[in-house]
Amino acid sequence: MPPFKIASLALLTVLLTGCASEPLRRIDALSSSPAPLQTSAGSAEQALVAAPSCCASLRELPYQPIPANFSGEVRIDASAPAFAFDSGKSFFRAFQLPAASKSFEIRLYSQAGDTVLAPNAMLLDSQFRVTRLLGAEDFVYAPASGLKGDSLDARLRVDRLYPDNPGNEHYLVLYTSEAQMRGQTVIEHPAKAFARALGNEAPNIPDPVAKHAPVGVIKMVLIEDKVAGQQANTYVPPFSIGREMGNQLPSVPAPAVLPETQAYYRQGIDAALASKDLERALRLADEAARVGDASAKAYLLERIQIR
């Protein structure tokens, strides 16, 4: 089967499961994931035991500044610094968040393979005081979908309603805990994911298990409100459940679509599919739906199935 056909079929699940109401899931499926680390959990644990603690306090951690449009891999491996957190010693990466930006969203995806880093996330204010802690209940397993691999995911928002507020969250630390390292995550078998994408019944086969390890790769994405199309929150949440999606904007009835507008979007979808640009085709279908063409997604699905 041609690669384009396989990728198209894999995206059917995204289209058929309400992607318009879950824009973040749609974006996840259209973004490729980094490969999980291949280091064994045992060798990583030995490396952690031998690693010296880098610092005496949270204030002394090596914080790396990142821009408001950051999107990249965070490798927490044996080359990362180690620190004795309250939850136990761990390799970590620490970041200085963009202080001058608008309110923004942080998306975290810890990549799962034979092993997975079950992350903790710590946010601190300008005085290095802990404001929020995200742990096992906040990072939720999400099976592979589209171009996205299996991962433990969390989402949170950082408020910038008052940029000069010293209580704003300025720092982010990604690490794990002793309790997390003792666990494991059940991964959906690829054959089941493929059957689900085709709309078939999943085969009755056991799912693989990813052992939790002190090392891993986390994909991190920052999105400012002006990019995400969301309005700034008017408060700083006291804690996070790890699945904050920002404010939900009220829905507005779409106007009746003109025939020439409908024709424009269908021509655009056809052109995007002809150039094998599935992401552009999906965005055109979404945009058409927003302007009143409720049948645009059905048209896209039909075109994909024909191919």
Side-chain angles (χ1 to χ4, degrees), residues 154-217:
R155 295 167 177 80
L156 61 144
R157 285 176 52 81
V158 174
D159 181 77
R160 286 288 183 270
L161 186 63
Y162 303 104
D164 297 329
N165 182 357
N168 284 346
E169 292 169 320
H170 281 251
Y171 303 97
L172 170 68
V173 184
L174 300 177
Y175 62 106
T176 189
S177 67
E178 290 182 354
Q180 290 278 69
M181 285 186 280
R182 290 194 291 267
Q184 62 184 24
T185 295
V186 177
I187 305 298
E188 183 180 58
H189 196 285
K192 293 182 179 179
F194 188 67
R196 177 166 47 85
L198 295 175
N200 298 331
E201 183 177 353
N204 185 20
I205 53 178
D207 291 316
V209 173
K211 180 175 173 22
H212 291 181
V215 298
V217 177

Side-chain angles (χ1 to χ4, degrees), residues 26 58 73 84 135 164 195 207 216 233 236 288 290:
R26 183 194 69 220
L58 294 174
E73 302 177 17
D164 297 329
D207 291 316
N233 286 345
V236 178
R290 285 196 298 271

